[in-house]
Amino acid sequence: MQASQSPPPDHLTYLREDDRPQAFKDLLSSLPSEKDWVGNSLHLYQGFWFPSWLLNGIFNCQNHFQAHPSDILLVTNPKSGTTWLKAILFALLNRTKYSNSNSQRRHPLLTQNSHELVPFLEHKLYLEQENPDLSALASPRLFATHFPYSSLPQSVSDSKCKLVYLGRNPKDTFVSMWHFFSKLRPEEKGQIPIQEFLDQFCRGVSPYGPYWDHVLGYYKASLEKPEKVLFVTYEQMKLDPHAHVRKLADFVGCPFSEEELRDGTVEGILRMCSFDNLSSLEVNKSGKLGDGAESKWFFRRGEVGDWVNYMSAEMGERIDGVMDEKLHGSGLKL
Ligand SMILES: Nc1ncnc2c1ncn2[C@@H]1O[C@H](COP(=O)(O)OS(=O)(=O)O)[C@@H](OP(=O)(O)O)[C@H]1O
C-alpha cells in the first residue's frame, strides 16, 4: 500500500481526480463508499473495499493487463509482509545476476526499496504499449498486487502465470495498518483511535477488505489450483524461512541447485532480505518512494505477535471471533 495524501506526482497522473473519464466518475458515484481515517474514500466494488485513488487503475488493469505465462504475481493484503516478500522474490529470481561470484554488480536491494524494484500492477502497469518499463522487464516478470482473487484481470486467470499469496495473522496486520494510517494523518490529528479503527476492520471495511474474504479467496484457489497459487503465511516464513524460500523457488520454477544449497545461496538471500538488514540501509532509512511515502514507514517491528503491545485481550478476541466465524469450515487458521 502506498501513501496518497498529496496530489500524485506526474508519472501517476492517472490518479488525478480531474483526469478521470466521466464514465468512471459516474460508476464511482454509484458505489457504496466510506471514509478511511486519512480522509480518503473507500469504495465497495465487486465485494471489496478499494481506495478511491486506486480504482481507476484497478478498472484499467482489469480491462487491459495482459498476463504472460511466465509472469509471477505476489499478492498480499496490505500490511501482510509485501515489502519483505517482494525483496525475497526479487533476490531469488535475480540470484545469478547478483551472486557473490558476480559481485561487481551491486545488488539493487542495497540502493532501492523493494517497492521500486517490484511494481504494483494497479499502479498503471497494465498497458504494455504505453509503458516502456513494462515491456522492458526481463522474463519472468515479477509484479505485486493487492487484487482480491475474484477481481483479478481475466488474463491472469486464463494464463499460466503463477501467484504467490502471503497471508498474515489479522491482529498483526491490523496493528501494522493502524500504525501506517496514523502516520499518514496530519500530525495535529494524532493516532487513529484504535477502537474505532477496529470497529471498521471488523465490519470488513479496510483497504482491499474484508480481510477474511481476501485471504480466503486465495486459500481456496491454492487448494483448487496448487500449480497456479501458492499460499504461505508471514508466520510460516518467520518460523522456517529457509524451507519457505526453497518452496518459493520450486514453485516459481527456479529451484536451488545442489551446489547453491551447499554454498549458502539461500542463507545469503535471507540475510539480504532480513528486517535488520533492509531497515538499516540508507535507502530505507531516509529514502522516499515515487508517491511520497517514506521508505522507513514500511519497516516498523517486523515481528510475529506484536499486536499484544497495542490491543487488549478483548480486542484480540474480537478479531479472532470474526475470523473464526468467517473462516469456519475452510480449514484455514491464521
Ligand atoms: N524484511 C522484513 N522482514 C519481516 N517483516 C518485514 C520486513 N520488511 C517489512 N516488514 C514488515 O511488514 C509490515 C509491512 O507490511 P507490507 O510490506 O505488506 O506493507 S505494504 O502493504 O507494502 O504497505 C510491517 O510490519 P509491522 O512491523 O508489524 O508493522 C513491516 O515491519
Side-chain angles (χ1 to χ4, degrees):
M1 186 166 40
Q2 312 279 289
S4 62
Q5 248 190 337
S6 42
D10 283 349
H11 66 288
L12 296 177
T13 46
Y14 72 110
L15 299 175
R16 281 199 194 132
E17 308 226 345
D18 299 349
D19 296 343
R20 289 170 168 177
Q22 190 55 43
F24 172 72
K25 288 183 188 166
D26 292 345
L27 178 61
L28 207 61
S29 61
S30 72
L31 298 175
S33 72
E34 290 226 10
K35 279 269 175 249
D36 73 11
W37 288 91
V38 184
N40 297 314
S41 300
L42 292 171
H43 292 277
L44 186 64
Y45 171 65
Q46 299 183 338
F48 288 85
W49 291 95
F50 293 91
S52 92
W53 65 282
L54 272 175
L55 259 179
N56 204 13
I58 301 271
F59 290 157
N60 281 321
C61 190
Q62 285 183 323
N63 292 327
H64 300 295
F65 177 68
Q66 280 309 316
H68 293 182
S70 57
D71 286 348
I72 297 159
L73 268 66
L74 161 63
V75 194
T76 54
N77 196 285
K79 300 299 154 196
S80 299
T82 325
T83 313
W84 184 25
L85 213 62
K86 274 186 174 187
I88 289 184
L89 284 169
F90 179 88
L92 191 158
L93 290 168
N94 291 287
R95 65 187 187 264
T96 314
K97 209 161 154 191
Y98 305 111
S99 68
N100 287 340
S101 55
N102 215 343
S103 53
Q104 70 275 21
R105 287 178 196 257
R106 204 164 149 69
H107 202 293
L109 279 166
L110 295 172
T111 50
Q112 282 169 279
N113 179 280
S114 65
H115 286 295
E116 295 170 288
L117 296 167
V118 183
F120 276 106
L121 261 196
E122 48 274 49
H123 288 203
K124 200 174 173 130
L125 276 170
Y126 34 84
L127 284 179
E128 224 160 314
Q129 65 274 28
E130 278 186 15
N131 190 331
D133 291 349
L134 185 57
S135 30
L137 286 175
S139 174
R141 305 184 303 179
L142 174 61
F143 300 119
T145 181
H146 296 313
F147 261 107
Y149 186 72
S150 51
S151 299
L152 282 168
Q154 192 60 41
S155 72
V156 172
S157 313
D158 291 348
S159 96
K160 283 194 159 25
C161 69
K162 298 206 175 218
L163 308 172
V164 174
Y165 187 82
L166 183 69
R168 190 180 188 189
N169 179 287
K171 299 189 286 292
D172 281 337
T173 302
F174 169 80
V175 162
S176 187
M177 217 182 264
W178 173 68
H179 277 284
F180 189 82
F181 278 118
S182 291
K183 277 210 171 72
L184 295 181
R185 274 153 65 95
E187 226 167 85
E188 66 277 8
K189 285 202 161 178
Q191 275 190 328
I192 299 169
I194 194 164
Q195 188 66 53
E196 292 167 44
F197 197 60
L198 182 67
D199 291 344
Q200 218 182 21
F201 184 85
C202 289
R203 282 194 292 116
V205 186
S206 61
Y208 297 87
Y211 184 77
W212 44 88
D213 285 338
H214 199 277
V215 189
L216 209 48
Y218 284 94
Y219 179 70
K220 285 184 180 161
S222 74
L223 299 180
E224 282 159 18
K225 300 177 184 170
E227 70 299 335
K228 183 168 184 76
V229 184
L230 177 69
F231 186 97
V232 285
T233 67
Y234 185 93
E235 292 74 23
Q236 290 168 335
M237 291 283 307
K238 278 278 188 184
L239 198 63
D240 193 348
H242 197 282
H244 282 88
V245 167
R246 286 183 66 179
K247 197 171 178 173
L248 286 172
D250 290 345
F251 179 74
V252 299
C254 57
F256 292 100
S257 65
E258 285 302 320
E259 194 191 337
E260 284 178 312
L261 291 174
R262 274 196 308 272
D263 73 9
T265 301
V266 180
E267 290 78 2
I269 291 174
L270 287 170
R271 249 193 327 275
M272 164 70 80
C273 301
S274 72
F275 182 90
D276 287 349
N277 181 52
L278 291 179
S279 62
S280 70
L281 297 171
E282 203 45 49
V283 62
N284 293 325
K285 285 201 292 190
S286 56
K288 277 196 175 187
L289 301 184
D291 65 357
E294 295 190 33
S295 299
K296 64 174 182 237
W297 294 349
F298 297 89
F299 302 91
R300 195 184 60 86
R301 290 288 296 274
E303 283 173 11
V304 171
D306 186 46
W307 68 270
V308 293
N309 296 314
Y310 301 93
M311 292 165 77
S312 63
E314 217 171 49
M315 291 163 88
E317 278 162 20
R318 187 154 164 223
I319 295 194
D320 287 343
V322 178
M323 291 300 286
D324 284 351
E325 183 197 324
K326 303 291 183 184
L327 301 187
H328 182 75
S330 69
L332 174 62
K333 187 111 186 87
L334 279 172

